[in-house]
Amino acid sequence: MTAIDELTESFSRLPGIGKKSAGRLVNYILKADRAWTDRFANQISTLQDKIHECSICGTWTETDPCKICSDTTRDQSIICVVEQPQDVMTIENSHEYNGLFHVLGGVIAPLEGVGPDQLKIPQLLTRLRAGNINEVIIATNPTVEGDTTALYLQKIISFMNITVTRLASGLPVGGDLEYADKLTLARSFRGRMKLQQ
């Protein structure tokens, strides 16, 4: 196997990158400026040394605690529970939420051998008992596993005096009813809202 084949294989292991895209990336790197490729290689090789999980919420950070957990201007009474650290970045980029986060590190998936004990649920419960949290927003993905995890969390948090909400799901903005699947339509009907005058 040549160096090109090896790098193509490595790139193709990345999510969303197939063999053709991986080959294009390798060819781009071969033509790129040597200083850029050296810097790029260094960034990849040192990434895991520089970035780690926040000891409070579990998102990726260079400082501990992360800038979100350290920000006293954020609403300290709300925690948004997400599956993975990249979900924190997605929600932050929307600029619609100003509370705290908690990263579970996955979802309950019995077929894959992932139960509640493999997730950061005990850490969440510790935070809920210790803080003045009024609301937990469950922002797991609208999948069978995400819904199972949301129901499990709702059940165990229901014994506390905390409101549990779930992100709405349904038709996307600009979407077409013709292409919506049955589950998306069902969720859209269940989550419908009254129009304001």
Side-chain angles (χ1 to χ4, degrees), residues 66-78 80 88 91-93 95-101:
C66 70
K67 66 178 184 172
I68 295 171
C69 291
S70 302
D71 187 350
T72 57
T73 65
R74 296 183 78 95
D75 188 343
Q76 306 289 310
S77 68
I78 304 173
C80 181
V88 172
I91 293 172
E92 279 294 282
N93 289 337
H95 303 291
E96 290 293 324
Y97 176 71
N98 192 40
L100 303 175
F101 287 94

Side-chain angles (χ1 to χ4, degrees), residues 76-78 127-128 130-135:
Q76 306 289 310
S77 68
I78 304 173
R127 291 180 73 188
L128 297 180
N132 296 319
I133 305 299
N134 297 325
E135 180 182 3

Side-chain angles (χ1 to χ4, degrees), residues 125-151:
L125 296 176
T126 299
R127 291 180 73 188
L128 297 180
R129 289 184 192 110
N132 296 319
I133 305 299
N134 297 325
E135 180 182 3
V136 172
I137 302 169
I138 301 174
T140 53
N141 290 321
T143 60
V144 172
E145 295 83 3
D147 289 344
T148 300
T149 305
L151 288 171

